[in-house]
Amino acid sequence: MQRRHDRNASDNRDEFTEQEKWSRINHLKRSVGRHEVRSWTTAAKQSLCLMWQKVKGQLMLSMSFLVAVFWYCRRLYSFLAQLLKRWSNYLRRKLIRNLSVLTEVDLLGYSAREWKGETKQAKHMREAYEELFWSYHVKYLRQVRRDNYCVLRAVLFQIFSQGIPFPSWMKERDILKWIEISATKDHEERGNMCNTLFSDESKEHKLYEAIKFIMLYEAVEAYEQIKNREEPVHNLFSLLLARDSSSDPLSFMMNHLNSIGDSICLDQVELFLLGYVLEVKIRVYRLHRFNTEEFKVNYPDEYRREWNEISLLTEDDRYYHIPIFRT
């Protein structure tokens, strides 16, 4: 019995040992499996970390590049915008400085801008502009550069732009030479030629000096006629030569004509002479004389019916603009 019991116990130990061995083997397998899983997970994490580090570096580099490009483009845009603005302002100043007769502007809008406030003078001038607008159908004006050639410029611009011919005697005596814009039939072409002429200061001044020479020529002719008691002359020459400063053609040239454009403008008597020599009736609206008989004046006051008419407006008898009529 004891022997059987020992054998059974030995068999049980062997069976337990066998079970324990398989249990350990299974445990080992599980441990190895978990270790392999942990190793694979660790390896995957490490690979992902390495990959992220590379991608992160490239991404940061790309972001830095994009930020730099954005900053550069913004600075470039700002620089180009400033450059364009300066160039635009330069061209605008250049054009305004060179173009001595500007494009049309609304008459009442111009009046409102130039004569703001509620002073007596401002109200008076606004009323004068409104009278021009409603009663005389002056809807626009062209501003003329304010210098001492102003009235000559305003008169000659209209002669050229309207195609008004110069007096025939000038051509016959070969007094006046240059391209005659007034002979151009096409209105648009003539307007372009006017803009070209009145944006060239050198050509403008030559033109004005030629007109001053014609005025002197007429004064000499009238003076000789008066001196020799020949045919009667226009009344304006009596006024012109009655002045102490222009009692003869030489004093007229030295004391008046030479200074016109440089330091003085044409006065009223010389404006009479200008209209006479060009054979045009110059109608001037004198806004500072509004509500008086001197509001609308013709130069000269005696003119021939066939003479063409041009118009000016002035606020002070010194600077003149060109009124534009619309019905």
Side-chain angles (χ1 to χ4, degrees), residues 43-305:
K45 288 182 178 179
Q46 291 178 349
S47 299
L48 289 174
C49 288
L50 291 175
M51 186 179 297
W52 168 246
Q53 291 295 327
K54 292 181 180 180
V55 171
K56 182 180 178 180
Q58 293 178 356
L59 184 61
M60 293 298 294
L61 183 62
S62 299
M63 291 296 295
S64 300
F65 176 75
L66 290 175
V67 169
V69 169
F70 176 77
W71 178 85
Y72 176 78
C73 290
R74 186 175 180 181
R75 292 294 299 271
L76 180 62
Y77 172 79
S78 178
F79 172 76
L80 292 176
Q82 290 292 330
L83 184 63
L84 182 61
K85 183 178 180 181
R86 292 177 183 176
W87 180 248
S88 177
N89 291 336
Y90 169 78
L91 290 179
R92 182 162 51 84
R93 291 194 303 269
K94 189 77 173 175
L95 180 61
I96 292 176
R97 184 173 65 250
N98 284 344
L99 191 60
S100 58
V101 180
L102 302 184
T103 56
E104 298 179 8
V105 295
D106 177 73
L107 183 78
L108 295 183
Y110 173 84
S111 170
R113 290 192 302 271
E114 293 295 316
W115 295 100
K116 299 177 181 179
E118 297 301 321
T119 64
K120 184 178 179 179
Q121 184 184 19
K123 291 180 180 179
H124 179 82
M125 296 303 292
R126 289 199 300 267
E127 289 176 1
Y129 275 107
E130 289 175 2
E131 179 71 9
L132 285 178
F133 185 89
W134 295 111
S135 300
Y136 295 93
H137 306 290
V138 179
K139 306 302 182 182
Y140 304 91
L141 67 79
R142 298 190 72 152
Q143 295 174 260
V144 179
R145 182 187 296 167
R146 298 190 176 204
D147 59 18
N148 292 319
Y149 282 122
C150 184
V151 65
L152 282 173
R153 181 179 293 114
V155 168
L156 291 175
F157 183 89
Q158 291 187 79
I159 288 176
F160 285 129
S161 62
Q162 296 179 23
I164 298 174
F166 286 100
S168 57
W169 65 268
M170 293 185 186
K171 300 176 183 178
E172 293 171 359
R173 302 187 186 184
D174 202 27
I175 293 178
L176 196 61
K177 295 180 179 180
W178 58 76
I179 298 175
E180 287 208 27
I181 300 175
S182 57
T184 304
K185 302 299 181 182
D186 184 80
H187 179 74
E188 184 176 356
E189 182 181 357
R190 191 167 61 242
N192 292 333
M193 293 174 70
C194 282
N195 289 335
T196 300
L197 174 61
F198 287 91
S199 61
D200 189 322
E201 189 173 352
S202 176
K203 289 182 179 179
E204 268 195 272
H205 289 180
K206 290 178 181 178
L207 176 62
Y208 304 144
E209 293 302 315
I211 295 299
K212 288 162 60 176
F213 173 77
I214 294 172
M215 294 171 67
L216 177 62
Y217 178 87
E218 281 292 318
V220 171
E221 289 282 301
Y223 182 78
E224 291 296 326
Q225 290 177 11
I226 294 173
K227 186 177 179 180
N228 297 329
R229 297 182 179 179
E230 297 178 358
E231 59 184 78
V233 297
H234 198 283
N235 291 334
L236 72 90
F237 292 102
S238 300
L239 296 173
L240 181 71
L241 298 173
R243 300 183 301 182
D244 293 337
S245 59
S246 60
S247 57
D248 57 72
L250 179 61
S251 61
F252 175 53
M253 179 185 69
M254 298 298 295
N255 298 327
H256 293 272
L257 285 179
N258 281 351
S259 300
I260 291 174
D262 295 328
S263 58
I264 63 173
C265 299
L266 271 70
D267 62 17
Q268 302 294 302
V269 176
E270 289 150 6
L271 195 52
F272 276 103
L273 178 58
L274 179 64
Y276 177 80
V277 299
L278 296 176
E279 295 186 359
V280 292
K281 179 177 69 173
I282 304 173
R283 174 165 291 178
V284 179
Y285 297 93
R286 306 168 72 200
L287 276 65
H288 60 298
R289 298 294 185 181
F290 177 57
N291 284 333
T292 71
E293 294 181 353
E294 298 178 342
F295 174 60
K296 184 175 65 174
V297 182
N298 295 323
Y299 299 94
D301 52 359
E302 297 179 8
Y303 51 87
R304 296 178 183 176
R305 182 177 297 179

Side-chain angles (χ1 to χ4, degrees), residues 293-326:
E293 294 181 353
E294 298 178 342
F295 174 60
K296 184 175 65 174
V297 182
N298 295 323
Y299 299 94
D301 52 359
E302 297 179 8
Y303 51 87
R304 296 178 183 176
R305 182 177 297 179
E306 66 269 18
W307 286 5
N308 291 281
E309 179 180 317
I310 62 175
S311 298
L312 306 175
L313 67 83
T314 180
E315 298 174 347
D316 53 11
D317 286 338
R318 178 175 174 83
Y319 299 119
Y320 294 79
H321 297 307
I322 300 173
I324 307 297
F325 298 85
R326 296 282 191 276

